Amino acid sequence: MRTTDGTPDLFWDDVKENFDLELMGSLPDLHVLDASAEDWQALLDLVARSGWRHEYIEGTTTSALPRAVRILARPLDAECPQLRVWPTEDMLAIFRFYSDEEIDFDVALLELQGQDRLDAFCGFLRSIGHRLGKPVLMCPEGADDCPVLGFDPASGRVVLLPDRVPGTEAEAPERPDTVDE
């Protein structure tokens, strides 16, 4: 899944620290911000048309992929549904329908090691980003405000985001050693 000109979006040797389990967590967070129910539906349509194996789960029940409006209209106390998508046989992305304003999903870093796996992952992010016309950002697990890489709609590629190297101060704010009373 390389770009149309045949070159990879990212080179493994340049970004492998962004796929380090200790620095990023085993399930980094991915987001499409400023989303809408229409964006969720566009994502569901992409999944259905792509040929990617997928599974929609509410609680313990697996069912056919419903319309986004129905999923997002569930009661507030209902369990959060998830959509499991395999863009390749051995790469799983899990989308969770927390809000209609943000598309949230994660991937297992163990499945994304090496150039071939990185190329497939970038192709997956490009597919989502192109379909929605929005950035798709990857952040360390639990650090949603510190994206390290993502799909850039302006360039049509997945890019490394500057000043967001895992393990640096940009990853999380410093905590004071003492609390003022």
Side-chain angles (χ1 to χ4, degrees), residues 66-145:
R67 304 284 303 162
V69 174
R70 187 186 82 63
I71 300 169
L72 297 168
R74 74 188 184 282
L76 292 176
D77 60 344
E79 191 169 338
C80 181
Q82 61 177 257
L83 173 62
R84 301 167 70 85
V85 176
W86 289 266
T88 66
E89 184 176 321
D90 52 356
M91 182 191 319
L92 171 63
I94 302 173
F95 293 84
R96 293 182 177 83
F97 295 82
Y98 294 127
S99 160
D100 61 345
E101 298 170 353
E102 185 174 327
I103 295 174
D104 291 293
F105 64 108
D106 54 41
V107 293
L109 281 190
L110 284 175
E111 298 172 352
L112 303 177
Q113 301 298 305
Q115 188 66 51
D116 288 344
R117 308 305 308 141
L118 176 62
D119 290 346
F121 176 64
C122 288
F124 180 59
L125 297 186
R126 272 196 320 275
S127 294
I128 295 169
H130 280 299
R131 179 67 177 101
L132 301 179
K134 295 183 178 192
V136 182
L137 305 173
M138 184 174 97
C139 304
E141 190 171 10
D144 295 343
D145 59 344

Side-chain angles (χ1 to χ4, degrees), residues 26-83:
S26 61
L27 298 169
D29 302 320
L30 289 104
H31 309 280
V32 176
L33 304 174
D34 300 320
S36 65
E38 291 80 19
D39 291 323
W40 272 108
Q41 188 59 53
L43 174 70
L44 297 179
D45 293 343
L46 172 66
V47 168
R49 292 182 183 137
S50 69
W52 297 326
R53 185 167 63 101
H54 61 279
E55 179 179 76
Y56 176 75
I57 305 167
E58 285 187 31
T60 59
T61 305
T62 301
S63 64
L65 196 56
R67 304 284 303 162
V69 174
R70 187 186 82 63
I71 300 169
L72 297 168
R74 74 188 184 282
L76 292 176
D77 60 344
E79 191 169 338
C80 181
Q82 61 177 257
L83 173 62

